[in-house]
Amino acid sequence: MEGVKYIVGVADMKISNVPGDVIVTHALGSCLGITIHDPVAQVGGLLHVMMPYSSIDRAKAEANPWMFVDTGLSKFFLEAYAAGAVKGRLQVKVAGGANVQSNGDDRFAIGTRNHIVLRKMFLQNNILIAAEDVGGTAARTLCLEIGSGRVLLGSRGVEREF
Amino acid sequence: MSEAVTHAVLAKIRSLPSVPGTAANVLRLLRNPRMDALRIERAVRYDPGLTANILKLSNSAYFGYRGTIASIRQAVVRLGWNRMYQLIIATSIHGVMEEPVPGYELPRGELWRHSIGVAVAAEALVRELKLPPSEEAFTAALLHDVGKLVLGVFVAADFDAIQDLAAQGMSFEEAERRVLGIDHCEAGGRILQSWFFPPVLVSAARSHHEPDSVEPTSALLDIVHVADMICLMFGMGLGQEGLQYRPAEGALTRLRIESIHLERVGSRVVSEVDEVMNALNPNAVETETSEEKE
């Protein structure tokens, strides 16, 4: 089926229920890319969040909730439910959360903090992660096919299903 | 082997075209403190592309005079010499910085996006840390990675060897030096030197990954270094080498950086970078989720 390829930028998301659609995000560094997919309803989405907590700038979070894990994640799931997805059927995959090389200094460990806050929110809401590729120093690309639910992860020129 | 590569890199730098004529002229005029707006306007007027781009940028929200500047003379008077200098450099290097960069595997436009991002981040960092205003921060940041344009093909040829060293914990630019005999920072410094840019900009490009190695230390260099890290972490201009770069402890201490500063600046850059890019090239980016028909 003919579909549209959506490119999700930093602090943005896309939900689709059109089987031919493909949703991609490029250059995940410390940011997290989260894909969700309901294979029965054929609804899926991709979220690209930057930072853990919206408390650093409430006005920014108001203008763009997708910037932060705490404001973006719940809204993302709610929009998928509104499009027909059912929580118990969702396949959730996570990639990104890389950090710069460190000398043990955690000020730059935004990737790790993003991941910790995400895991905490998933735990509180009984959401299981089907696959994740998180941490290290790699740049990653994430791609979700709405029809098949296939998720492709790219890094250093190599793409694999995950 | 690396000596031959280093020579090839230096030869390529020497063969680079210089900054376009009008821009070079105007930059020379701007460095003269007794210059008046009328003479700048006369010099720019002969280059319609430069005029259009300067007016477009002057009228963008980022530079603060949305839709109110109608001539180069007005732009000089209202924005001041320093902003004019930044705008002319930005417009004159835009074309070359738009190119895709092999080695780092940056698609077309991504090095330019990174450069603008770091420029916006550097100014945001100065405000966030309440540092004295820095006239050079924007331009130094804009030019810091120009060396990647030349070094890219050499990195592509030896990527596996460089990456093997980086995978063992060496920073990517140090691995470049080990394998190629020169890194993208030094290459950038030499390019800017050959374009007759002021020493402060040459030095910022040359040492942007190692601000602690410079004596005396420089707040400008520290700012460019941290602004670069912020943009890479948030994926702006992030190449296939990923985040294999190391924040300089001394710079972080001198600037008293906390993680909240990094996050606040990051959030501002993401909101502002498209606006500045659109001012230079309306077709460059879309701020909404973009669509491509399959």
Side-chain angles (χ1 to χ4, degrees):
Chain A
M1 180 190 266
E2 196 190 330
V4 174
K5 181 179 180 183
Y6 293 95
I7 297 172
V8 172
V10 181
D12 199 2
M13 72 98 200
K14 176 70 191 172
I15 303 262
S16 167
N17 56 7
V18 178
D21 283 355
V22 173
I23 312 174
V24 184
T25 198
H26 298 291
L28 288 162
S30 295
C31 298
L32 285 174
I34 299 113
T35 62
I36 54 179
H37 187 261
D38 176 341
V40 178
Q42 293 207 317
V43 171
L46 193 160
L47 168 69
H48 185 144
V49 283
M50 290 175 73
M51 290 175 271
Y53 289 118
S54 56
S55 52
I56 65 141
D57 193 334
R58 297 279 183 209
K60 281 266 186 310
E62 193 73 33
N64 182 358
W66 317 120
M67 207 173 256
F68 303 99
V69 178
D70 66 346
T71 49
L73 208 54
S74 43
K75 201 165 159 48
F76 176 58
F77 275 73
L78 290 175
E79 295 221 358
Y81 301 153
V86 173
K87 183 176 174 180
R89 297 197 298 242
L90 281 181
Q91 287 272 308
V92 180
K93 298 182 181 180
V94 180
N99 293 304
V100 291
Q101 293 172 328
S102 150
N103 304 317
D105 186 319
D106 64 0
R107 283 174 284 186
F108 278 77
I110 291 173
T112 303
R113 286 200 292 280
N114 278 334
H115 188 222
I116 290 170
V117 174
L118 174 113
R119 293 295 291 251
K120 192 172 134 197
M121 286 184 72
F122 278 173
L123 196 65
Q124 284 165 345
N125 291 282
N126 297 316
I127 288 166
L128 295 176
I129 298 174
E132 68 175 2
D133 188 279
V134 174
T137 54
R140 296 171 172 94
T141 292
L142 196 56
C143 171
L144 168 69
E145 298 172 358
I146 298 299
S148 64
R150 220 158 66 105
V151 178
L152 298 169
L153 176 75
S155 186
R156 288 196 186 111
V158 180
E159 195 172 58
R160 67 178 170 94
E161 197 169 329
F162 105 122
Chain B
M1 177 221 163
S2 81
E3 208 170 301
V5 178
T6 313
H7 281 301
V9 173
L10 297 179
K12 195 168 174 209
I13 290 172
R14 282 193 295 273
S15 71
L16 276 186
S18 59
V19 181
T22 318
N25 263 337
V26 177
L27 291 176
R28 206 166 37 241
L29 287 175
L30 277 170
R31 278 201 288 274
N32 177 354
R34 288 173 308 168
M35 193 44 54
D36 62 62
L38 197 60
R39 286 191 61 185
I40 302 288
E41 186 178 20
R42 272 193 212 127
V44 175
R45 201 190 293 157
Y46 296 107
D47 189 333
L50 188 60
T51 305
N53 279 327
I54 289 171
L55 289 181
K56 229 186 301 177
L57 270 178
S58 310
N59 283 303
S60 69
Y62 184 79
F63 291 102
Y65 290 92
R66 188 149 228 172
T68 60
I69 293 179
S71 71
I72 297 294
R73 206 181 322 169
Q74 267 181 4
V76 175
V77 171
R78 298 185 68 173
L79 298 179
W81 301 108
N82 185 49
R83 275 295 193 211
M84 277 305 283
Y85 186 75
Q86 294 167 0
L87 299 186
I88 291 168
I89 288 182
T91 54
S92 57
I93 60 159
H94 175 204
V96 56
M97 298 281 275
E98 269 281 297
E99 294 296 313
V101 188
Y104 309 92
E105 300 306 314
L106 296 172
R108 170 172 290 281
E110 196 55 25
L111 180 63
W112 179 240
R113 184 183 179 74
H114 175 70
S115 306
I116 295 281
V118 178
V120 171
E123 292 201 326
L125 204 54
V126 168
R127 285 194 296 272
E128 178 69 29
L129 298 172
K130 300 186 173 60
L131 299 171
S134 165
E135 291 207 337
E136 295 98 352
F138 189 91
T139 312
L142 192 72
L143 297 168
H144 77 284
D145 256 353
V146 71
K148 284 186 175 171
L149 286 173
V150 164
L151 208 67
V153 286
F154 299 96
V155 170
D158 275 321
F159 184 81
D160 290 345
I162 299 171
Q163 176 52 36
D164 282 350
L165 291 176
Q168 293 164 30
M170 191 181 280
S171 66
F172 198 79
E173 84 283 356
E174 193 183 340
E176 286 175 346
R177 280 200 301 273
R178 289 282 179 94
V179 174
L180 306 174
I182 185 168
D183 61 19
H184 70 274
C185 316
E186 175 64 24
R190 285 175 185 253
I191 293 171
L192 297 181
Q193 224 165 10
S194 74
W195 287 350
F196 302 106
F197 278 118
V200 62
L201 301 181
V202 173
S203 157
R206 183 168 274 153
S207 305
H208 71 268
H209 279 300
E210 289 164 319
D212 295 350
S213 70
V214 174
E215 282 286 344
T217 57
S218 143
L220 174 69
L221 191 49
D222 292 345
I223 289 161
V224 172
H225 171 73
V226 174
D228 183 29
M229 289 286 164
I230 293 172
C231 288
L232 290 173
M233 284 196 301
F234 294 123
M236 265 170 275
L238 185 63
Q240 70 163 342
E241 80 278 24
L243 293 176
Q244 297 176 127
Y245 295 107
R246 199 179 302 278
E249 289 297 319
L252 306 186
T253 305
R254 287 188 291 278
L255 293 177
R256 298 201 181 98
I257 289 283
E258 297 299 333
S259 57
I260 192 164
H261 301 132
L262 307 175
E263 295 186 17
R264 282 212 191 113
V265 169
S267 72
R268 288 180 71 153
V269 175
V270 165
S271 313
E272 290 174 357
V273 71
D274 286 345
E275 204 264 326
V276 179
M277 283 187 71
N278 284 332
L280 267 167
N281 179 2
N283 304 317
V285 284
E286 291 165 21
T287 47
E288 301 299 321
T289 305
S290 56
E291 299 178 12
E292 287 171 17
K293 274 280 174 200
E294 286 287 79

